Amino acid sequence: MGPIELIATCPMGLEAVVDRELKELGYTERKVENGRITFKADKLAICRTNLWLRSADRILIKMGEFKALTFDDLFEGTKALNWSEWISADGEFPVEGRSHKSQLSSVPACQGIVKKAVVDSLKQTYNREWFPETGARYVIEISLLHDLATLTLDTTGPSLHKRGYRKLVTEAPLKETLAASMIMLSRWRPERPLYDPFCGSGTIPVEAAMIGWNLAPGLRRSFPAEHWPVMGSSLWEDAREEAYDLVKDDVPLEIIGSDIDEKAIEVAKASARSAGFAKELQWHVRSVSDIKPRGDYGCIITNPPYGERLGDRADVEKLLRRLGSICQSLDTWSAFILSPSKQLEHYWGKPADKRRKLYNGRIEVALYQYFGPLPPRNRLQNNSPT
């Protein structure tokens, strides 16, 4: 098997973050598009990217792409692809689909055509008329956009934001992938303090701890491609062994989360324990007016409650103004605030150094970035583990 074309999908606005992660993993042939990054790699990359990517949603195998104006086009184009290279004779292969601005607009009809074409293709290889579909699961997706059909296999299963450590959630929880992206877009490093004054279920502090210890976020979960015979168990074993070898659990962390909701803090503590950070993270039941970030050159990274959650815009304004006042009193600190409010800069009395448009679920938000000074180089060197 030669090079494989893979697709890392992600929410709009996070493409550059995922692209940077892929670059750091050593994958050089990449193409950035809206909501996805296509890259070429080998089978081991399926394991490594599922284990390591913090900001992506899924890793897909790109089986093929072709113009499909008619159902015959879709059938013949799908049948011509080498499905038996991946799908075993007993494999279960459901078909999911979506269509946008294409002549073939009936998604159920397209799913049926693709299913029939894949069966016909497998018949030629396995020389059988019926497939039990009792084995490993291979989810096929047909995506039609402007009459261009893209066929993929899903290696991930449930989205990569489902790390496995969060058993309980608070109201309107922040996805792990978005929390990790906020941290990666900040200037935070493990040597610096981090404070989240609206921590909710603790996602930002836990994700920061995982980054600080270089802990691969997918280590605690499984993936459908682990059960594919074509992959082989040794690939996954090698990728997991590499990830465990790279953990830096001797790095000291100064990460604090606080929230006015006592139940939220209990949920946060449970998430931290499940993720393996029971003793490394600090939690406080505290209103934003009472927070006391300590140390120098720290980062406040947070997702304040929205109007939809508080039910009162005046309360939102009060919280944001108070947070802005506290942040501006911390001379050496930086602040990274995720909010849908168009008035945040007004409430803070100063424009953000940088704004980035993102989406928290279906809510359009902005990451307001206020950059404080970076720590002196000798400080970072002195605090770095040897």
Side-chain angles (χ1 to χ4, degrees):
M1 184 182 294
I4 306 166
E5 195 165 11
L6 299 172
I7 300 172
T9 66
C10 64
M12 296 287 285
L14 295 182
E15 295 89 350
V17 182
V18 178
D19 185 56
R20 187 175 73 186
E21 288 194 86
L22 288 168
K23 181 181 179 180
E24 290 174 352
L25 286 173
Y27 303 114
T28 56
E29 296 186 60
R30 308 181 311 277
K31 180 182 179 183
V32 179
E33 302 172 272
N34 287 337
R36 66 181 190 175
I37 294 85
T38 303
F39 62 105
K40 291 185 178 180
D42 54 12
K43 287 195 291 186
L44 180 60
I46 294 173
C47 314
R48 295 183 74 235
T49 52
N50 272 302
L51 290 174
W52 279 103
L53 291 183
R54 302 181 189 278
S55 53
D57 285 336
R58 283 185 172 80
I59 303 300
L60 311 176
I61 299 170
K62 186 176 180 180
M63 295 296 296
E65 196 169 70
F66 51 86
K67 203 78 171 177
L69 299 173
T70 67
F71 287 129
D72 283 342
D73 292 340
L74 182 59
F75 180 88
E76 295 300 333
T78 302
K79 184 179 177 180
L81 302 177
N82 194 1
W83 296 101
S84 62
E85 188 174 32
W86 292 98
I87 302 176
S88 59
D90 64 346
E92 177 190 6
F93 48 101
V95 179
E96 298 179 354
R98 50 198 173 97
S99 178
H100 183 65
K101 295 183 179 180
S102 297
Q103 294 193 40
L104 300 180
S105 58
S106 172
V107 172
C110 291
Q111 290 173 275
I113 292 294
V114 168
K115 181 76 173 186
K116 183 178 179 182
V118 173
V119 169
D120 277 15
S121 175
L122 295 177
K123 282 180 180 179
Q124 295 176 355
T125 301
Y126 294 119
N127 195 26
R128 59 167 63 184
E129 291 298 314
W130 178 76
F131 294 91
E133 297 198 46
T134 55
R137 184 175 174 86
Y138 308 79
V139 176
I140 300 168
E141 183 181 78
I142 166 63
S143 174
L144 286 155
L145 177 63
H146 299 295
D147 298 318
L148 185 68
T150 303
L151 277 296
T152 58
L153 280 177
D154 180 10
T155 73
T156 301
S159 172
L160 288 173
H161 83 269
K162 296 187 177 181
R163 318 286 206 217
Y165 66 77
R166 194 163 69 176
K167 308 301 181 184
L168 303 171
V169 296
T170 55
E171 184 181 354
L174 185 70
K175 278 189 177 181
E176 294 86 335
T177 43
L178 183 52
S181 299
M182 291 171 63
I183 297 161
M184 289 188 286
L185 287 167
S186 77
R187 294 176 170 183
W188 182 78
R189 296 293 181 270
E191 299 85 4
R192 305 176 65 178
L194 186 151
Y195 200 116
D196 179 1
F198 301 101
C199 70
S201 56
T203 308
I204 290 175
V206 172
E207 288 295 319
M210 293 176 72
I211 291 171
W213 277 12
N214 200 40
L215 183 65
L219 272 177
R220 296 177 179 272
R221 56 164 290 176
S222 61
F223 306 92
E226 290 187 65
H227 307 290
W228 296 359
V230 68
M231 291 293 294
S233 60
S234 63
L235 285 177
W236 286 96
E237 290 170 2
D238 290 346
R240 289 184 182 276
E241 184 176 348
E242 175 196 41
Y244 279 115
D245 287 344
L246 292 172
V247 174
K248 300 176 181 178
D249 56 4
D250 58 345
V251 174
L253 301 172
E254 189 176 348
I255 299 174
I256 302 173
S258 65
D259 201 284
I260 197 171
D261 186 346
E262 185 175 355
K263 291 182 179 179
I265 292 298
E266 291 304 313
V267 172
K269 289 180 178 179
S271 295
R273 285 195 299 269
S274 180
F277 298 102
K279 297 180 180 180
E280 285 71 27
L281 305 181
Q282 302 174 50
W283 307 100
H284 302 292
V285 178
R286 190 169 290 168
S287 72
V288 67
S289 296
D290 296 327
I291 67 171
K292 298 176 181 178
R294 300 184 185 278
D296 298 320
Y297 304 105
C299 291
I300 287 180
I301 305 177
T302 194
N303 174 41
Y306 303 163
E308 293 85 348
R309 292 161 61 188
L310 285 179
D312 189 338
R313 289 185 180 181
D315 288 341
V316 174
E317 178 180 345
K318 184 178 179 181
L319 285 176
L320 294 179
R321 285 186 183 276
R322 181 57 183 152
L323 179 60
S325 176
I326 291 171
C327 289
Q328 291 182 51
S329 71
L330 300 168
D331 295 338
T332 64
W333 281 58
S334 301
F336 303 87
I337 316 299
L338 189 74
S339 176
S341 174
K342 307 295 185 183
Q343 301 296 316
L344 185 140
E345 292 166 301
H346 171 68
Y347 298 152
W348 281 42
K350 62 181 297 188
D353 296 302
K354 190 173 182 180
R355 293 186 302 276
R356 193 183 193 101
K357 179 181 174 181
L358 298 172
Y359 288 89
N360 187 3
R362 295 184 178 182
I363 302 174
E364 182 181 323
V365 294
L367 181 62
Y368 294 91
Q369 302 174 64
Y370 290 89
F371 299 126
L374 290 173
R377 285 185 176 273
N378 60 347
R379 174 190 173 94
L380 289 179
Q381 291 169 355
N382 291 338
N383 289 343
S384 296
T386 56

